[in-house]
Amino acid sequence: GGGSSKDLPSLPLEYEWVKDVAEKNENSWIAIRKKMPKAAIDAIRRATVKLQDVLYTRNPRLVREHIEVAIEENRAGEGPSGKAIRESGEFADKLEAYEKERETEREKELEEARQEIEDYDLDAALAATRTGIAQTGFGRGHPLERTKRRLFVKVLLRRARAFDALGDKEACAAELQRVLRAEPQNAEGKQLLAALAVPPPSASSPSAPASAEASAAGGAAVAPGTAGASGASGALGAVAAAVASAAMPALLGAAAGGEAFSDRKTKAKASAADDDLDDDDDDDEGVDHSSTSQLLSAAGEYMRKNDYQGALEIYGYAKNRTKVWDSALTELKVLSNRSLCLQRCRGRLPELIAACNEALTRMAALKREPDFGGMSEEMLLKMQSACLSRRGNAYMQQRKAEEGNRDLAEVRTLLARVEALEAQTRPALAG
């Protein structure tokens, strides 16, 4: 009984008056929500999907910016619902709180790392006789410890030479004392430290004693200033000069045989003490590369403790430093276990795929050899299946389904071949 349509009150924009067919009265009206056109529904759906995509980024700044856009679209009737916008704001609040919590944790971890570095005593860790917590870790004869100690001593000797050149004898002696604490039998450190007690020779002092020694040893006199050809200064320069002077008789003897002056000059420089610590690291030849098995044992121990990053570093060191492997199986173990460590370390998919490619390339080369590089075909196929499986899973995580499925299909083929080989070698059942 509302009367005609002219008598009906106004409604919000989203509602409209329609006749109530359930009533017998012809002028019965009911207010219902308007039906949205398909175009409006599609616009709202697209706007909601955009809001969802932004939420998936888990970036609170982007979420806040898109919420403003969603509010304007909602006012125009083509945006996400008010509930969706409100929940998006709550999600942004949680993301910001989580970021603050993570930042606090990172600062705490950095502070702990800085404190650990400040408390770490490198001299005590590399000393010949270790006490306290320095006794933990690898033994003094382990290849890693020997490498660290060699580099540590090399840097200290260079610093000692620099302090001597600056005229700071106390700092020079302190560095040499650190050298001898790490390597008590370091001949160069002992010699240089002893030289600090000898006053440096004066620039105006005659060179007759040195010339006399050279004449007695090699039958020729050394020209003044030759002993300082190495360029060293101070007390350590005196040691270098002595070394160069001792080398001159042989050089002069070679000159008598017709050797060119440029060759003599080159050999004189090569005999100077300053060349003991060049940047080429030629003393790597002194490293015992035959201890590959010790490195692999140490890496295996790291893996048993779930320290895959540490094991990865050792495998990488062994791979780069070993020029000749004792067997193809050892080489493949290193390559395969590197890929396993990278698989266990999150966020390193490109490195994992590269490591698997390197291992698979080497395996393909071994398969072309008549005896499979001294390995059994069964073992080679198993290792190849493991690397293919890791690479396939990495491709899947990168959303490269085609490459991943191809690798996984090849794994199934190889495993079937392994099963066939095992069946051939399996003894027949009695009866």
Side-chain angles (χ1 to χ4, degrees):
S4 65
S5 58
K6 297 179 181 179
D7 299 328
L8 298 175
S10 61
L11 292 173
L13 294 176
E14 63 269 21
Y15 288 90
E16 64 180 349
W17 289 107
V18 296
K19 286 189 175 182
D20 188 1
V21 295
E23 294 289 337
K24 294 181 179 181
N25 191 342
E26 185 177 345
N27 290 324
S28 294
W29 302 85
I30 186 173
I32 63 172
R33 187 184 292 272
K34 292 180 180 178
K35 292 183 178 180
M36 285 187 184
K38 187 177 184 304
I41 294 175
D42 292 340
I44 293 174
R45 183 178 290 113
R46 286 193 298 270
T48 304
V49 170
K50 289 181 181 179
L51 178 59
Q52 289 176 341
D53 291 340
V54 174
L55 294 177
Y56 287 141
T57 65
R58 302 177 67 86
N59 188 326
R61 181 183 60 81
L62 296 179
V63 173
R64 295 288 187 193
E65 292 176 357
H66 199 80
I67 285 177
E68 299 298 326
V69 176
I71 291 174
E72 295 299 326
E73 292 175 341
N74 180 270
R75 290 173 182 171
E78 296 181 351
S81 64
K83 180 180 179 182
I85 295 175
R86 183 177 65 257
E87 291 180 349
S88 298
E90 294 173 355
F91 183 65
D93 293 337
K94 293 180 179 179
L95 289 176
E96 291 171 348
Y98 177 73
E99 283 192 351
K100 291 180 181 178
E101 181 181 349
R102 290 289 298 164
E103 183 65 27
T104 303
E105 292 179 358
R106 280 194 293 269
E107 292 178 357
K108 182 179 179 181
E109 291 175 357
L110 288 175
E111 182 61 30
E112 291 177 352
R114 283 193 292 267
Q115 187 63 36
E116 183 179 355
I117 293 174
E118 292 176 1
D119 296 341
Y120 185 73
D121 189 352
L122 186 59
D123 292 78
L126 297 178
T129 303
R130 300 188 294 187
T131 59
I133 194 172
Q135 294 177 339
T136 61
F138 292 120
R140 181 174 172 81
H142 193 277
L144 293 181
E145 289 294 318
R146 293 169 56 187
T147 301
K148 287 195 298 184
R149 188 165 58 253
R150 187 181 68 253
L151 295 176
F152 180 63
V153 168
K154 179 182 290 187
V155 172
L156 290 180
L157 289 172
R158 287 174 176 170
R159 288 183 62 179
R161 290 180 179 278
F163 282 131
D164 180 69
L166 294 173
D168 192 345
K169 306 300 181 184
E170 294 182 0
C172 178
E175 296 301 317
L176 293 175
Q177 291 287 356
R178 295 176 66 188
V179 169
L180 295 180
R181 279 196 295 270
E183 290 186 355
Q185 303 303 323
N186 187 283
E188 185 176 3
K190 288 181 177 181
Q191 185 180 17
L192 298 181
L193 187 61
L196 291 177
V198 181
S202 174
S204 60
S205 61
S207 58
S211 300
E213 284 187 22
S215 299
V222 181
T226 304
S230 65
S233 62
L236 304 189
V239 177
V243 175
S245 298
M248 287 305 295
L251 295 176
L252 293 174
E259 190 174 14
F261 174 74
S262 59
D263 295 337
R264 299 200 306 273
K265 185 177 179 181
T266 302
K267 290 185 178 181
K269 288 184 177 180
S271 65
D274 285 323
D275 290 339
D276 290 341
L277 296 174
D278 58 4
D279 291 330
D280 294 334
D281 286 343
D282 291 335
D283 56 352
D284 283 346
E285 296 178 359
V287 180
D288 184 10
H289 291 299
S290 64
S291 59
T292 304
S293 60
Q294 297 181 15
L295 290 175
L296 300 187
S297 299
E301 188 66 27
Y302 274 113
M303 293 180 69
R304 281 189 288 273
K305 296 178 180 178
N306 294 328
D307 185 0
Y308 294 102
Q309 180 60 39
L312 179 62
E313 294 176 1
I314 296 179
Y315 281 129
Y317 177 84
K319 182 178 77 73
N320 295 331
R321 288 296 184 180
T322 305
K323 297 180 176 60
V324 179
W325 297 94
D326 57 354
S327 66
L329 179 59
T330 302
E331 181 184 5
L332 290 188
K333 282 183 179 180
V334 171
L335 297 177
S336 179
N337 286 345
R338 280 190 73 245
S339 66
L340 175 59
C341 292
L342 287 168
Q343 185 183 36
R344 300 300 177 88
C345 297
R346 295 181 178 274
R348 306 183 69 169
L349 295 180
E351 296 176 70
L352 170 58
I353 293 174
C356 291
N357 289 339
E358 182 180 4
L360 291 170
T361 300
R362 179 58 180 147
M363 292 175 189
L366 291 175
K367 289 181 71 174
R368 290 192 293 269
E369 296 182 7
D371 60 344
F372 302 106
M375 297 176 55
S376 66
E377 182 182 3
E378 181 181 348
M379 176 61 71
L380 185 59
L381 291 176
K382 287 182 178 179
M383 299 181 77
Q384 188 177 7
S385 300
C387 289
L388 282 171
S389 177
R390 291 169 193 147
R391 190 177 69 176
N393 289 329
Y395 279 140
M396 287 298 188
Q397 293 182 51
Q398 290 184 335
R399 300 183 183 276
K400 297 180 180 180
E402 183 177 355
E403 292 87 343
N405 289 328
R406 183 171 60 248
D407 281 351
L408 298 179
E410 189 172 355
V411 168
R412 288 191 289 270
T413 302
L414 293 177
L415 292 179
R417 173 61 179 165
V418 170
E419 187 176 354
L421 291 174
E422 292 178 347
Q424 293 175 3
T425 57
R426 189 181 301 127
L429 296 176

